[in-house]
Amino acid sequence: MPSISRRSSEMPLSPIRKLVPLADAAEERGVKIYHLNIGQPDIPTPQVAIDAIKNIDRKVLEYTNSAGTLEYRQKLVEYYNRFGINLNKEDILVTTGGSEAFNFAFLCCFSYGEEVIIPEPFYANYSSFANAVGIKIKPISSSFEDDFSLPSAKEFEKLITPNTKGIFICNPNNPTGYLYTEEELNDLKDLVKKHDLFLLSDEVYREFCYDDNKHFSALSLKGIEDNVVIIDSVSKRYSECGLRIGALISRNNQVINAAVKFAQARLSPPLIGQIAACASIDATPAYAESVYNEYIQRRNMLVEGLNKIPGVKSLLPKGAFYTMVKLPVKDAEDFCSWILSDFEYEGQTVMMAPGSGFYNSPNRGHDEVRIAYVLNIEDLKKALVVLEKALAIYPGRI
Amino acid sequence: MPSISRRSSEMPLSPIRKLVPLADAAEERGVKIYHLNIGQPDIPTPQVAIDAIKNIDRKVLEYTNSAGTLEYRQKLVEYYNRFGINLNKEDILVTTGGSEAFNFAFLCCFSYGEEVIIPEPFYANYSSFANAVGIKIKPISSSFEDDFSLPSAKEFEKLITPNTKGIFICNPNNPTGYLYTEEELNDLKDLVKKHDLFLLSDEVYREFCYDDNKHFSALSLKGIEDNVVIIDSVSKRYSECGLRIGALISRNNQVINAAVKFAQARLSPPLIGQIAACASIDATPAYAESVYNEYIQRRNMLVEGLNKIPGVKSLLPKGAFYTMVKLPVKDAEDFCSWILSDFEYEGQTVMMAPGSGFYNSPNRGHDEVRIAYVLNIEDLKKALVVLEKALAIYPGRI
């Protein structure tokens, strides 16, 4: 039997998904699980998007242009304009989810073996894409104690080698909920300019900024237009995870032209998804407001509730819908397994993502979990009760 | 400005799409173009699929399981059963188009730098995927003179090195229309067994086999179950190119488990596409029959018409909906450009894919074009007239 490839063997299992078998077993025992582990919102998709799908009027479901339909790319230009960001449709490549945009960004900006610096903790799938295309992630530490803010230029420069080709941030941040300031973005600008690096920015949570904090996009940085590459997606913005529509954006036409070549190889992004995503941009401001208010309420209730549990600490996230939570345990991964396998409270338990999976450095995040507040307030309240009861009797508590 | 990656620079431009600017210019001059260059069928998508999309009853368009929905995977088991192929749903990973299935197959079966042998001419995008993941294609010659049949085991063995990890075929073949026989498949079986190789088979045109020829799937080979990996797609079968739904199939659970890890990184294949593809499997036999009859008619008319043009030669394809055509010209790529830029007949011209783009070896296919018979009979007839008129006056004729 031929052996599978080295990169397959080295491919990490998703930290978010590896507890699934334990959750399945708990469900089989009849236990109700509150899923705080994944970023699948329960928020309804805008009705205009559903209607666009229902009203589809085509006889043949054809390929679209490899870079996306003209209509959708023009609509995206209009969307970015609302944020004061001026783009041409040629700066935009429509992708199959944000996932494909990462993949294209890595393929186009990095040669085999080159390095990208990413503040950790970071979205675990960045590692998977880096592994698939053979590039190396150099993690730079951000920490709970510093609010997960951007490390200093000096810290970055310690990691920059002749192989370093870019810096990658997620803003607002998954998993920390941190929102980078305009000042921090300017620090990054100086860095990438000085060392001639790409600045990749995952901005899929752009709309989710709380407490009057405004999102400052890497696309708004002047003088490094050719260095900036943006990853975007409609998945979270409009609760359209299943459409698989994202975008790769850059004013550097060498990057976009290169990405178009990879895009042509896979022929076309999904047709129906583009139709629905295009319609979503015309969703009413009332939709955006109701979504926003819902998340603010959830965040406030969740973070207040977490900090009331003895030994538990959560920062107040300024963006996205995640928070990295410190737990009074020796090994959060063991706790996440135990709470699924050996615990239930009134027939319920919770599923969380172990923090260590979001760090590349060994020995970091071992007392942390990532919690996504994508459940309604009532379920979040019940999940908090379950968590408190579990921590009270968990044998590995410190 | 940071430079783009080496693999981007080395990425070939699609031979099928690189004439697009010339075609755009012709259209701007008001010339009607018959598109014989791409595999986008004009056949209607089954009504059951369109209805499934129109009747979607969901509030949230969620991620599906990374491996595909349970319903669709079970339905695919039923589909393969119709061909006498027994699979479990665990043997099937739903992908974002056949394109993603190639990508996963290459990622899982080949380490960086390893080699795959592919009979040429072959589907040009295999080169793009190989380049993206850093593996090497070793072309093995099949030729017009031999009907594009499978090269002998001896020829294959000349190319096998310690770095060779697999053989890849497309059956029925794009671009040649060749259908591999059971005997040829058995020769491949002996080869992959002897040298412990993967046998990758792209079978997306399975239903398109003519003149009572039956498709013999690599999945029907006994004794090499762990070596066989299949690429599939609904794009051509149901005229659903825009849905982006394919599948990777193998009874080797190491391959599927590895592919699931890459699939988890990209989260989910398209939800709506899976719903429509699932419904399509219940399309009536009358649908399949009408599609089949339409292609048979087109093929017969086209090939007869081509062979009547002085100096033009086409084999009678046994499968798929392409044929590699010999033209009486020095350089078919120049002819394909010329016919778009410098020729029109009664306000019409044709677009074809230059043959050389389907060969990896230099100096092969220079007097060939690939023609796809995805237009209706009337348009095909007109296209043949245009082609004959053009060849009569083309200055590079031999």
Side-chain angles (χ1 to χ4, degrees):
Chain A
M1 180 165 110
S3 59
I4 58 169
S5 66
R6 276 189 299 278
R7 65 188 134 212
S8 306
S9 320
E10 288 161 7
M11 184 84 173
L13 254 186
S14 158
I16 306 166
R17 297 187 179 230
K18 70 183 171 184
L19 299 172
V20 169
L22 303 182
D24 288 347
E27 267 176 353
E28 263 174 43
R29 293 193 307 274
V31 176
K32 152 103 185 148
I33 298 175
Y34 297 106
H35 284 274
L36 305 174
N37 58 311
I38 47 166
Q40 167 59 62
D42 63 338
I43 302 281
T45 305
Q47 193 58 40
V48 283
I50 306 272
D51 289 346
I53 294 171
K54 284 183 166 296
N55 296 330
I56 186 164
D57 182 26
R58 298 198 178 220
K59 292 245 168 289
V60 188
L61 302 178
E62 291 180 316
Y63 291 127
T64 74
N65 186 301
S66 297
T69 66
L70 195 62
E71 296 89 318
Y72 183 43
R73 290 198 295 158
Q74 273 165 345
K75 200 80 193 170
L76 282 171
V77 169
E78 184 188 321
Y79 164 82
Y80 287 104
N81 237 306
R82 295 180 194 163
F83 297 88
I85 297 167
N86 292 315
L87 294 173
N88 299 312
K89 67 178 196 307
E90 291 72 22
D91 304 328
I92 302 172
L93 172 71
V94 179
T95 58
T96 305
S99 310
E100 189 178 65
F102 301 136
N103 194 29
F104 286 169
F106 282 174
L107 282 170
C108 295
C109 299
F110 301 87
S111 297
Y112 192 81
E114 287 185 332
E115 297 165 3
V116 58
I117 301 176
I118 313 185
E120 69 174 2
F122 59 78
Y123 178 55
N125 286 326
Y126 297 159
S127 297
S128 307
F129 288 108
N131 172 62
V133 306
I135 72 171
K136 221 171 156 178
I137 293 178
K138 289 279 199 100
I140 183 166
S141 289
S142 77
S143 68
F144 190 96
E145 290 67 27
D146 292 324
D147 277 12
F148 296 111
S149 60
L150 192 75
S152 70
K154 224 171 100 185
E155 293 302 311
F156 273 98
E157 289 188 326
K158 279 186 199 162
L159 294 174
I160 293 174
T161 74
N163 265 333
T164 306
K165 198 66 182 299
I167 296 172
F168 195 144
I169 61 167
C170 177
N171 185 29
N173 193 278
N174 169 11
T176 67
Y178 187 78
L179 181 70
Y180 292 102
T181 63
E182 184 171 347
E183 204 188 335
E184 287 172 313
L185 265 293
N186 276 310
D187 290 346
L188 284 171
K189 172 173 116 171
D190 297 340
L191 258 174
V192 301
K193 216 170 168 175
K194 181 171 167 194
H195 298 280
D196 200 25
L197 304 175
F198 283 111
L199 174 58
L200 291 81
S201 181
D202 171 355
E203 302 187 351
V204 307
Y205 298 98
R206 181 180 299 118
E207 276 81 357
F208 303 96
C209 300
Y210 310 117
D211 313 321
D212 299 322
N213 288 297
K214 278 234 167 88
H215 183 251
F216 187 83
S217 171
L219 286 168
S220 301
L221 293 168
K222 304 284 174 214
I224 55 160
E225 285 76 2
D226 281 335
N227 305 62
V228 171
V229 179
I230 300 291
I231 279 89
D232 212 341
S233 162
V234 299
S235 292
K236 314 294 161 134
R237 182 170 304 147
Y238 305 120
S239 204
E240 293 175 340
C241 296
L243 290 184
R244 313 312 299 129
I245 296 296
L248 183 77
I249 294 153
S250 180
R251 296 190 180 98
N252 181 330
N253 62 16
Q254 287 191 13
V255 170
I256 294 295
N257 290 345
V260 165
K261 291 198 280 183
F262 291 102
Q264 286 182 343
R266 63 78 166 117
L267 306 170
S268 161
L271 164 71
I272 314 275
Q274 288 180 82
I275 291 171
C278 194
S280 305
I281 293 178
D282 286 329
T284 58
Y287 175 81
E289 208 184 305
S290 76
V291 172
Y292 184 86
N293 289 337
E294 180 65 31
Y295 279 118
I296 276 270
Q297 269 193 310
R298 291 176 183 189
R299 179 200 65 163
N300 293 346
M301 196 281 295
L302 175 78
V303 172
E304 200 187 320
L306 284 168
N307 284 313
K308 275 187 189 152
I309 301 175
V312 174
K313 279 186 236 164
S314 166
L315 302 166
L316 190 68
K318 288 183 278 183
F321 41 63
Y322 306 95
T323 181
M324 287 296 279
V325 182
K326 286 258 182 209
L327 297 182
V329 299
K330 278 195 277 281
D331 180 349
E333 183 161 344
D334 180 75
F335 176 66
C336 291
S337 301
W338 176 87
I339 201 170
L340 287 170
S341 304
D342 298 304
F343 178 82
E344 61 180 83
Y345 174 70
E346 295 183 348
Q348 315 157 90
T349 193
V350 299
M351 189 164 177
M352 295 164 293
S356 55
F358 298 90
Y359 291 87
N360 221 16
S361 307
N363 309 319
R364 293 206 65 209
H366 279 291
D367 60 348
E368 296 175 11
V369 292
R370 186 193 73 171
I371 288 183
Y373 40 103
V374 291
L375 302 182
N376 66 54
I377 290 272
E378 287 316 304
D379 281 355
L380 281 178
K381 276 185 190 160
K382 289 180 198 157
L384 281 167
V385 172
V386 171
L387 183 61
E388 178 161 14
K389 296 285 180 190
L391 282 167
I393 64 158
Y394 172 59
R397 193 186 161 107
I398 46 166
Chain B
M1 180 165 111
S3 59
I4 59 168
S5 65
R6 275 190 300 277
R7 65 187 133 212
S8 305
S9 319
E10 289 161 7
M11 185 82 172
L13 255 186
S14 159
I16 305 167
R17 296 186 180 231
K18 68 182 171 185
L19 299 173
V20 169
L22 303 183
D24 289 347
E27 268 175 352
E28 264 173 44
R29 293 193 307 274
V31 176
K32 153 103 186 148
I33 299 175
Y34 297 106
H35 285 273
L36 304 175
N37 59 311
I38 48 165
Q40 168 60 61
D42 62 338
I43 301 281
T45 306
Q47 193 57 41
V48 282
I50 307 272
D51 290 345
I53 294 171
K54 284 185 168 294
N55 296 330
I56 187 165
D57 182 25
R58 299 200 179 218
K59 291 243 168 291
V60 189
L61 301 179
E62 294 179 314
Y63 291 127
T64 75
N65 186 300
S66 297
T69 66
L70 195 62
E71 295 87 318
Y72 183 44
R73 290 198 295 157
Q74 273 165 345
K75 199 79 192 171
L76 282 171
V77 169
E78 186 187 319
Y79 163 81
Y80 287 104
N81 237 305
R82 295 180 193 163
F83 297 87
I85 297 167
N86 292 315
L87 294 172
N88 299 311
K89 67 179 195 307
E90 291 73 21
D91 304 328
I92 302 172
L93 173 71
V94 180
T95 58
T96 305
S99 309
E100 189 177 66
F102 301 136
N103 194 29
F104 286 169
F106 283 174
L107 283 169
C108 295
C109 299
F110 300 87
S111 297
Y112 191 81
E114 285 184 333
E115 297 164 4
V116 58
I117 301 175
I118 313 186
E120 70 174 2
F122 57 78
Y123 178 55
N125 285 325
Y126 297 158
S127 296
S128 308
F129 289 108
N131 172 61
V133 307
I135 72 172
K136 221 171 157 178
I137 293 179
K138 289 278 197 104
I140 183 166
S141 290
S142 77
S143 68
F144 191 95
E145 290 66 29
D146 292 325
D147 277 11
F148 296 112
S149 61
L150 193 74
S152 72
K154 225 172 100 185
E155 292 303 311
F156 274 98
E157 288 188 327
K158 280 186 198 162
L159 294 173
I160 293 174
T161 74
N163 265 334
T164 306
K165 198 65 183 300
I167 295 172
F168 195 143
I169 60 166
C170 178
N171 185 29
N173 194 278
N174 169 12
T176 66
Y178 188 77
L179 181 71
Y180 293 100
T181 63
E182 183 170 348
E183 204 187 335
E184 287 173 313
L185 264 294
N186 275 311
D187 290 346
L188 284 170
K189 172 173 116 171
D190 296 339
L191 258 175
V192 302
K193 217 172 168 173
K194 180 170 168 196
H195 298 280
D196 200 23
L197 304 175
F198 283 111
L199 175 59
L200 291 81
S201 181
D202 172 353
E203 302 187 352
V204 307
Y205 299 98
R206 181 181 299 118
E207 276 81 357
F208 302 97
C209 300
Y210 311 117
D211 313 321
D212 298 323
N213 287 296
K214 277 235 167 87
H215 183 251
F216 187 83
S217 171
L219 286 168
S220 300
L221 293 168
K222 305 283 174 216
I224 56 160
E225 285 76 2
D226 282 334
N227 305 62
V228 171
V229 178
I230 300 291
I231 280 86
D232 212 340
S233 163
V234 298
S235 291
K236 314 294 162 133
R237 184 170 303 146
Y238 305 120
S239 204
E240 293 175 340
C241 296
L243 290 184
R244 314 312 300 130
I245 296 296
L248 183 77
I249 295 155
S250 180
R251 296 191 180 99
N252 180 331
N253 62 17
Q254 287 191 15
V255 170
I256 294 295
N257 291 344
V260 165
K261 291 199 280 182
F262 291 102
Q264 286 182 344
R266 64 77 166 116
L267 306 168
S268 161
L271 165 69
I272 314 275
Q274 288 180 81
I275 291 171
C278 194
S280 305
I281 294 179
D282 286 329
T284 57
Y287 174 81
E289 208 183 305
S290 75
V291 172
Y292 183 86
N293 290 338
E294 179 65 30
Y295 279 116
I296 277 269
Q297 269 194 307
R298 291 177 182 188
R299 180 200 64 162
N300 292 347
M301 196 281 295
L302 174 77
V303 173
E304 202 187 318
L306 285 168
N307 285 314
K308 275 188 192 153
I309 301 175
V312 174
K313 278 186 235 162
S314 167
L315 301 166
L316 190 70
K318 287 183 278 183
F321 41 63
Y322 307 96
T323 180
M324 286 297 279
V325 182
K326 286 257 184 209
L327 298 182
V329 300
K330 281 196 273 280
D331 181 349
E333 185 162 341
D334 180 74
F335 177 66
C336 291
S337 303
W338 176 87
I339 200 169
L340 288 170
S341 305
D342 299 301
F343 178 82
E344 62 181 83
Y345 174 71
E346 295 183 350
Q348 318 158 89
T349 193
V350 298
M351 190 166 177
M352 296 163 292
S356 55
F358 298 90
Y359 290 86
N360 221 15
S361 308
N363 309 319
R364 293 206 65 209
H366 280 291
D367 60 348
E368 297 175 9
V369 293
R370 187 193 72 172
I371 288 183
Y373 40 103
V374 292
L375 302 182
N376 64 56
I377 290 272
E378 285 316 304
D379 282 355
L380 281 178
K381 276 185 192 161
K382 290 180 199 157
L384 281 168
V385 173
V386 171
L387 183 62
E388 179 162 13
K389 297 283 180 192
L391 282 168
I393 64 157
Y394 173 58
R397 192 185 162 108
I398 47 168

